[in-house]
């Protein structure tokens, strides 16, 4: 059985990795922004949509792990 402290540390490590991935993918979104000046252009760009959906999923997972960490305290 994994101790509560070990579980918390493992979740924190995963959260750090997800935050790092989020930051890197957000950088890609920032590169797209000047190329897609209008909301219509952004909505029509499949790659930009994929980047935005990925950021949303990462944000949800980061929040979920944060909640799990808080419950362990």
């Amino acid at each position: 059985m994994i101790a509560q402290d070990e579980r918390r540390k493992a979740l924190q490590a995963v959260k750090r990795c997800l935050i790092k991935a989020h930051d890197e993918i957000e950088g890609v979104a920032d590169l797209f922004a000047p190329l897609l000046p209008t909301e219509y252009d952004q909505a029509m760009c499949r790659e930009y949509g994929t980047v935005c959906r990925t950021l949303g999923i990462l944000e949800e997972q980061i929040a979920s792990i944060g909640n799990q960490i808080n419950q362990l305290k």
Side-chain angles (χ1 to χ4, degrees):
M1 183 95 179
I2 297 176
Q4 187 169 340
D5 188 51
E6 291 171 335
R7 184 174 295 160
R8 185 176 46 78
K9 287 179 182 178
L11 287 171
Q12 287 172 334
V14 171
K15 185 177 175 183
R16 279 192 301 273
C17 291
L18 291 175
I19 290 171
K20 181 179 178 186
H22 181 277
D23 291 345
E24 290 180 13
I25 293 170
E26 194 171 42
V28 173
D30 291 343
L31 293 174
F32 270 112
L35 304 173
L36 305 167
T38 67
E39 286 186 28
Y40 177 79
D41 292 334
Q42 293 173 2
M44 297 307 295
C45 180
R46 194 159 113 185
E47 293 81 4
Y48 186 74
T50 300
V51 168
C52 291
R53 280 189 298 280
T54 302
L55 287 173
I57 292 167
L58 286 170
E59 289 167 2
E60 289 175 4
Q61 293 303 310
I62 291 166
S64 174
I65 289 173
N67 289 336
Q68 291 176 43
I69 291 169
N70 288 336
Q71 289 175 355
L72 290 175
K73 290 183 178 181

